[in-house]
C-alpha cells in the first residue's frame, strides 16, 4: 500500500470515528432536550407565580381571573388560567406558547445545554463529512451513505442558522435530533459503503452543483415538514379549546408550549416557498448534467420522474396557498404529501427501483 492509499484509508477511518462520535453527542443532546420539556412543564406553584406576575396571561386575552383552588397552610394555590381563543376573520387569534422551556429557569438551562450539545455534535459530524471527502478526494455524496450523513449535517446546520438569526425554532430541537439520530443509525448500519471512486459519468463539476443543491433543498423541506406536522397537532389542540373542550394531558403539557397554529402555518409556508426555486434549479442542473453524461437532457428515469413529481406536489401546494387561499389543514396535508414524494425519491427510488441513478449503489 503506497503512502497516498494509506492516507486515504486513515482519513476514511477518521470519518467513521467522527460520525459515531457525533451520534454519541447527539444522544446527549436528545436527553437534554427531553429534560427541557420535562422540567419546562410548570407546576401549579409555578403557574400561580406566573399568573400573579402577569407572565402567562398578560397581553394574550387568554387568562381568566385567577381563582384559589384550595388553601393549605395559609398559601393559596391557583388553578391554571383558562385559555380563551379569539376569532378574527374566520381564524383563531392565539398567542404563541412559551416554548419547550416553558418560561422556567430550569427548563431554559437544559435547553441551552441541549443547543450546546447540538452545536458540538454538528461540528463533529461536519468534520466526519469533510474527512470522508478528503479520503476519496471528491464531493462526499457519491452514494446513499454519504448523502445521508451530509443531509443530516445540513439539516442541523439550517436549524442552528435559524437559531442564530433569532428565529423562534428551539421547539423543533427534540424532533430534529431524534430524526438525525435515526438517519445516522440507518446510514451507519444499513447504507454504509466503503470509500471508493465514482464511475466516469459522475466525474463532473455538476456533481458539486446538482447534488449539493438537492441536499440543501431536502434539509430545508424537512424543516418545513416538521413545522407542518406540529402545526396539525397544535391546530387540533386549539380547536378543542375553542370548542370549550378540555385537551388531554399531553396537549396541556406539550402542545400548549408550541407556537400558535397560525405561526407554525406561516413558518412552514415561508420555508417551503423560499426553497422551491432552488429545487427548480436542482432539476434543471440535473438535466444539464444528464445531457453532458448521457447525451440526453431528460429520459424519464425513475429518479427524474420522482424529482418532477416532487416539484409538481410543492408547486400545487404553493399555488393553492397563493390563488385558492388554502391555509391550515388542507394546505398542510398537501405539504406533507410533497415531502413524502421527496422521501420516496430518495429512499424508495434508490433502494427499490432500478435506473441510471443506481450507478453508485447503496
Amino acid at each position: 500500500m503506497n503512502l497516498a492509499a494509506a492516507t486515504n484509508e486513515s482519513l476514511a477511518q477518521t470519518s467513521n470515528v467522527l460520525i459515531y462520535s457525533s451520534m454519541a453527542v447527539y444522544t446527549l443532546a436528545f436527553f437534554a432536550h427531553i429534560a427541557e420539556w420535562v422540567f419546562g412543564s410548570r407546576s401549579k406553584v409555578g403557574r400561580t407565580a406566573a399568573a400573579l406576575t402577569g407572565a402567562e396571561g398578560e397581553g394574550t386575552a387568554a387568562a381568566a381571573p385567577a381563582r384559589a383552588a384550595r388553601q393549605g397552610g395559609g398559601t393559596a394555590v391557583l388553578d391554571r388560567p383558562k385559555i380563551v381563543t379569539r376569532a378574527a376573520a374566520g381564524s383563531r387569534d392565539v398567542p404563541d406558547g412559551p416554548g419547550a422551556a416553558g418560561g422556567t429557569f430550569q427548563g431554559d438551562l437544559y435547553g441551552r445545554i441541549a443547543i450546546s450539545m447540538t452545536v458540538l455534535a454538528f461540528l463533529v459530524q461536519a468534520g466526519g463529512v469533510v474527512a470522508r471527502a478528503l479520503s476519496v478526494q471528491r464531493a462526499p455524496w457519491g452514494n446513499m451513505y454519504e448523502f445521508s450523513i451530509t443531509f443530516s449535517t445540513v439539516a442541523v446546520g439550517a436549524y442552528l442558522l435559524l437559531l442564530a438569526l433569532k428565529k423562534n425554532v428551539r421547539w423543533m430541537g427534540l424532533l430534529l435530533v431524534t430524526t438525525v439520530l435515526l438517519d445516522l443509525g440507518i446510514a451507519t448500519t444499513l447504507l454504509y459503503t466503503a470509500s471508493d471512486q465514482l464511475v466516469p459519468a459522475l466525474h463532473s463539476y455538476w456533481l458539486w452543483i446538482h447534488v449539493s443543491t438537492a441536499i440543501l433543498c431536502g434539509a430545508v423541506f424537512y424543516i418545513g415538514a416538521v413545522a407542518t406536522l406540529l402545526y396539525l397537532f397544535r391546530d387540533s389542540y386549539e380547536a378543542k379549546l375553542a370548542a370549550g373542550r378540555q385537551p388531554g394531558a399531553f396537549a396541556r403539557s406539550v402542545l400548549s408550549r408550541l407556537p400558535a397554529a397560525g405561526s407554525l402555518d406561516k413558518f412552514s409556508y415561508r420555508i417551503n416557498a423560499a426553497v422551491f426555486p432552488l429545487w427548480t434549479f436542482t432539476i434543471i442542473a440535473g438535466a444539464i448534467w444528464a445531457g453532458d453524461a448521457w447525451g440526453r437532457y431528460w429520459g424519464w428515469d425513475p429518479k427524474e420522474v420522482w424529482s418532477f413529481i416532487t416539484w409538481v406536489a410543492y408547486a400545487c401546494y404553493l399555488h393553492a396557498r397563493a390563488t385558492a387561499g388554502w391555509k391550515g389543514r388542507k394546505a398542510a396535508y398537501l405539504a406533507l404529501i410533497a415531502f413524502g414524494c421527496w422521501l420516496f425519491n430518495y429512499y424508495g427510488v434508490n433502494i427499490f427501483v432500478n435506473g441510471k441513478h443506481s450507478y453508485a449503489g447503496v
Side-chain angles (χ1 to χ4, degrees):
M1 181 181 294
N2 57 37
L3 180 60
T7 301
N8 292 341
E9 180 64 24
S10 177
L11 286 170
Q13 293 177 358
T14 300
S15 172
N16 295 340
V17 170
L18 289 174
I19 294 299
Y20 280 107
S21 298
S22 71
M23 293 175 66
V25 183
Y26 277 127
T27 301
L28 295 177
F30 169 80
F31 286 115
H33 276 299
I34 290 288
E36 179 185 18
W37 282 97
V38 170
F39 291 102
S41 181
R42 294 185 176 185
S43 63
K44 284 193 174 183
V45 174
R47 293 198 297 269
T48 299
L52 292 176
T53 58
E56 201 169 59
E58 190 173 302
T60 67
R67 304 184 307 276
R70 57 181 180 273
Q71 299 285 340
T75 301
V77 179
L78 305 184
D79 287 335
R80 186 181 185 88
K82 181 181 179 181
I83 297 177
V84 180
T85 59
R86 296 197 302 263
S91 62
R92 293 185 295 270
D93 184 8
V94 182
D96 291 336
T104 64
F105 173 80
Q106 192 172 21
D108 184 67
L109 175 62
Y110 282 108
R112 291 178 182 275
I113 293 173
I115 296 301
S116 299
M117 291 293 100
T118 302
V119 171
L120 178 59
F122 165 75
L123 294 175
V124 175
Q125 185 182 6
V129 173
V130 171
R132 178 78 176 197
L134 294 175
S135 72
V136 291
Q137 300 179 3
R138 58 167 173 76
W141 42 74
N143 50 59
M144 287 188 69
Y145 169 74
E146 294 173 354
F147 191 101
S148 293
I149 62 175
T150 307
F151 166 77
S152 53
T153 303
V154 174
V156 176
Y159 166 72
L160 295 177
L161 177 61
L162 290 173
L163 283 177
L165 294 175
K166 308 298 182 182
K167 303 299 182 182
N168 177 24
V169 294
R170 204 164 91 180
W171 43 267
M172 191 185 297
L174 177 59
L175 190 55
L176 175 71
V177 169
T178 302
T179 50
V180 166
L181 280 171
L182 179 62
D183 173 75
L184 291 178
I186 293 174
T188 54
T189 57
L190 301 178
L191 304 179
Y192 181 77
T193 304
S195 299
D196 199 0
Q197 294 303 315
L198 301 176
V199 297
L202 295 185
H203 287 286
S204 170
Y205 58 88
W206 284 107
L207 175 66
W208 291 89
I209 299 172
H210 170 63
V211 185
S212 64
T213 54
I215 292 173
L216 179 59
C217 289
V220 179
F221 280 147
Y222 163 76
I223 290 177
V226 170
T228 301
L229 184 63
L230 293 179
Y231 156 78
L232 292 173
F233 286 105
R234 171 77 188 201
D235 183 64
S236 296
Y237 165 74
E238 292 180 6
K240 287 183 179 179
L241 289 176
R245 290 180 289 162
Q246 182 71 11
F250 174 80
R252 294 195 305 271
S253 174
V254 175
L255 299 183
S256 63
R257 286 181 271 169
L258 291 176
S263 298
L264 291 169
D265 186 44
K266 289 178 185 177
F267 176 79
S268 60
Y269 170 66
R270 290 171 179 172
I271 285 287
N272 290 327
V275 79
F276 180 74
L278 188 60
W279 182 249
T280 304
F281 171 78
T282 300
I283 296 176
I284 295 173
I288 296 173
W289 187 13
D292 289 343
W294 300 320
R296 91 294 187 276
Y297 294 101
W298 193 268
W300 299 105
D301 182 75
K303 178 70 72 173
E304 296 168 350
V305 171
W306 275 96
S307 294
F308 180 67
I309 290 174
T310 302
W311 185 91
V312 170
Y314 274 108
C316 289
Y317 163 73
L318 296 175
H319 180 74
R321 292 283 305 235
T323 60
W326 276 25
K327 295 182 180 180
R329 301 187 74 87
K330 290 189 294 184
Y333 293 141
L334 266 179
L336 291 179
I337 289 172
F339 184 68
C341 292
W342 188 91
L343 281 180
F344 182 80
N345 185 36
Y346 175 52
Y347 286 104
V349 172
N350 283 6
I351 296 175
F352 302 112
V353 182
N354 291 323
K356 282 186 172 292
H357 286 77
S358 302
Y359 43 72
V362 173

